Amino acid sequence: MEFFELVEYGNFTIEQMATIYDVSRKMYNLLIAQGQFEAAKRFAGKTVYVANEVLKQIYNAGLERERHCSIFLWQSF
């Protein structure tokens, strides 16, 4: 989970955080497709964290919708 350690301790611009969110979202989708549900659950939870950080700075309806999808997947496993 080194990927998320960088997020928690890094000093990123909003654009960089949005990119990190996008990578994270794609990663948990890939893990689900591969049947790695426990790893996907961890990524979905961290994805919610990243989305919340981005949404604190700017509001984006698409990001808000994706955050809800991440929460749903995170709670479903």
Side-chain angles (χ1 to χ4, degrees):
M1 287 299 207
E2 295 84 17
F3 176 78
F4 290 112
E5 289 175 9
L6 289 172
V7 173
E8 291 178 21
Y9 300 110
N11 187 15
F12 298 105
T13 66
I14 188 65
E15 292 84 10
Q16 290 168 324
M17 285 295 284
T19 300
I20 290 167
Y21 168 79
D22 194 42
V23 169
S24 175
R25 182 180 58 83
K26 289 175 182 175
M27 189 65 162
Y28 78 72
N29 285 322
L30 178 63
L31 289 167
I32 290 170
Q34 292 179 344
Q36 298 181 29
F37 299 113
E38 284 303 312
K41 181 177 181 175
R42 287 191 300 272
F43 260 86
K46 293 292 187 174
T47 301
V48 171
Y49 168 79
V50 174
N52 287 337
E53 292 302 309
V54 172
L55 286 168
K56 284 181 188 176
Q57 296 182 34
I58 59 165
Y59 179 76
N60 179 298
L63 179 59
E64 180 71 23
R65 186 172 43 256
E66 289 288 337
R67 184 177 71 93
H68 286 292
C69 291
S70 297
I71 290 169
F72 175 77
L73 287 171
W74 183 54
Q75 293 174 341
S76 296
F77 291 111

